[in-house]
């Protein structure tokens, strides 16, 4: 199974970058426009799934291997927990305290800018990383399982 | 009034799609009907002025539809055969009517459509959480998107729980679907 026809391959090689960029945009601008980490992560996973459907599983695994997805998943989860735990050490002590925004408020007003809202964009990026990696990992694992089960059937018959 | 007609039309569409998804014999058309329910739901979220949920719903729906169609196409048996039991249909319809009756009873106690729940509670107590969220989200968290301010600042514990649930479910899927088992000959030697 080496993917689909040349039409699908050439179109998806153009579109994959746009989908990836849109996922990054949705994730990073989550505190200004509708969207956020979860939706952005799903769109990031969709770009890799398009790659997998069009070019075959091996090509997608060369770009983002199964081990790397599980590492990114753990990194995203730990980053989110780290952002939450940083609230203990900076500013007013507490879990999930928006310490960056409290520091910025004393200085200049940064409302409605890309770099604003303190820890919310950091949390969005962490959740986007986690959701995207884990959903792509699920699809990869399911396709591995499918290939193995069909190979087993052929052996039996 | 036109909004209400639109919602009524969509409700009927979603109910018909759900009925077809349950009762059709072809597995692929059932999956497509499930997708239609998801996309209709995301459209309803959009018209209820919840674009965050609409974007998430539409992205998750695309992903789920891809997985389900891949799983359906690779199956040998895509048609469901066999008769339904008469008693089962009667029992399910009876349960359906009972749940609808209880639900209609419960709707009477709900606040009017479009009224935030915390405002309705504020008539008795002096807590108006929803108005505080709208007024103070920009000044206290700096986020222009009030939904992001709620889910990642005030109610970040919920989001942490959701992330934990996702992590645990994916851990379970990896364990169940892994390639080499613990007792396979390759790992033993």
């Amino acid at each position: 199974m080496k993917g689909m026809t040349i039409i699908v391959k050439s179109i998806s090689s153009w579109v994959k970058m746009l989908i990836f960029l849109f996922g990054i945009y949705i994730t990073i601008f989550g505190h200004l426009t509708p969207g956020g980490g979860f939706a952005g992560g799903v769109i990031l996973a969709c770009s890799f799934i398009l790659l997998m459907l069009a070019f075959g599983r091996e090509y997608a695994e060369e770009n983002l291997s199964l081990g790397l997805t599980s590492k990114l998943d753990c990194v995203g989860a730990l980053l989110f927990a780290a952002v939450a735990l940083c609230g203990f050490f900076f500013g007013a002590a507490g879990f999930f305290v928006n310490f960056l925004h409290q520091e910025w408020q004393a200085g200049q007003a940064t409302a409605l800018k890309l770099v604003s809202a303190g820890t919310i964009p950091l949390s969005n990026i962490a959740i986007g990383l986690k959701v995207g990696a884990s959903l792509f990992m699920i699809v990869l694992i399911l396709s591995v399982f499918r290939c193995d089960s069909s190979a087993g059937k052929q052996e039996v018959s | 009034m036109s909004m209400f007609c639109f919602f009524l039309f969509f409700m009927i569409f979603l109910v018909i799609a759900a009925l077809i998804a349950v009762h059709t014999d072809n597995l692929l058309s059932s999956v497509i009907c499930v997708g239609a329910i998801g996309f209709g739901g995301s459209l309803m979220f959009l018209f209820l002025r919840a674009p965050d949920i609409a974007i998430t719903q539409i992205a998750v729906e695309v992903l789920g539809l891809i997985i389900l169609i891949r799983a359906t196409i690779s199956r040998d048996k895509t048609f469901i055969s066999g008769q339904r039991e008469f008693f089962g249909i009667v029992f399910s319809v009876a349960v359906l009517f009972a749940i609808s009756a209880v639900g209609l009873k419960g709707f009477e106690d709900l606040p009017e459509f479009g009224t935030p729940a915390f405002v309705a509670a504020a008539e008795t107590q002096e807590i108006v959480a929803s108005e505080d969220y709208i007024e103070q989200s920009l000044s206290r968290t700096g986020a222009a998107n009030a939904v992001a301010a709620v889910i990642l600042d005030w109610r970040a514990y919920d989001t942490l729980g959701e992330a934990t649930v996702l992590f645990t479910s994916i851990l379970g899927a990896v364990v169940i679907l892994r390639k080499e088992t613990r007792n396979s000959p390759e790992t033993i030697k």
Side-chain angles (χ1 to χ4, degrees), chain A residues 30-31 33-35 38 42 49 95-96 98 101 105 112 117 124 127 130 134-135 137-138 141-142 146 148 153, chain B residues 52 55-56 59 63 70 74 76 139-142 144-145 148 152-153 156-157 159-160 163 167 170 173-174 177 179:
Chain A
H31 58 295
T33 54
F38 202 91
V42 176
I49 288 164
F95 204 54
F96 275 118
N98 201 339
H101 179 67
Q105 227 174 7
L112 299 174
N124 263 332
I127 292 173
K130 193 199 134 36
S134 55
L135 287 181
M137 186 163 71
I138 283 285
I141 287 170
L142 281 172
R146 203 174 67 91
D148 279 7
K153 259 177 224 158
Chain B
D52 294 79
I55 289 173
T56 310
L63 191 72
R70 285 280 279 191
S74 65
D76 300 331
S139 61
R140 282 182 62 183
T141 69
N145 185 3
L152 289 174
D153 196 319
Y157 256 123
T159 315
L160 187 66
F167 191 79
I170 281 161
V174 170
L177 297 173
K179 219 170 174 181

Side-chain angles (χ1 to χ4, degrees), chain A residues 3-54:
Chain A
M4 297 186 181
T5 59
I6 186 78
I7 302 168
V8 178
K9 277 182 181 174
S10 51
I11 289 175
S12 59
S13 66
W14 281 100
V15 167
K16 73 188 179 197
M17 293 177 266
L18 296 177
I19 297 174
F20 195 78
L21 211 61
F22 184 61
I24 292 175
Y25 164 77
I26 289 270
T27 307
I28 291 179
F29 281 75
H31 58 295
L32 297 177
T33 54
F38 202 91
V42 176
I43 293 168
L44 286 179
C46 277
S47 74
F48 277 100
I49 288 164
L50 175 73
L51 218 61
M52 197 188 90
L53 290 177

Side-chain angles (χ1 to χ4, degrees), chain A residues 52-129:
Chain A
M52 197 188 90
L53 290 177
F55 292 93
R57 187 171 58 81
E58 289 81 14
Y59 185 80
E61 251 185 313
E62 281 173 16
N63 284 286
L64 189 61
S65 66
L66 198 61
L68 190 60
T69 52
S70 65
K71 286 187 188 74
L72 282 177
D73 189 5
C74 299
V75 163
L78 285 176
L79 201 63
F80 189 45
V83 167
L85 282 175
C86 277
F88 275 121
F89 305 114
F90 300 101
F95 204 54
F96 275 118
V97 164
N98 201 339
F99 59 94
L100 280 174
H101 179 67
Q102 290 171 352
E103 285 182 10
W104 288 343
Q105 227 174 7
Q108 73 276 25
T110 54
L112 299 174
K113 294 275 167 54
L114 178 58
V115 183
S116 67
T119 57
I120 291 176
L122 295 177
S123 312
N124 263 332
I125 290 168
I127 292 173
L129 204 64

Side-chain angles (χ1 to χ4, degrees), chain B residues 111-172:
Chain B
E112 202 177 329
F113 184 75
T115 314
F118 287 116
V119 172
E123 290 169 3
T124 51
Q125 306 160 8
E126 288 300 316
I127 305 165
V128 193
S130 61
E131 286 182 3
D132 278 359
Y133 285 153
I134 295 168
E135 284 170 4
Q136 301 180 10
S137 70
L138 190 59
S139 61
R140 282 182 62 183
T141 69
N145 185 3
V147 177
V150 170
I151 66 168
L152 289 174
D153 196 319
W154 279 309
R155 296 281 180 267
Y157 256 123
D158 278 354
T159 315
L160 187 66
E162 280 171 25
T164 314
V165 166
L166 189 66
F167 191 79
T168 315
S169 61
I170 281 161
L171 202 68

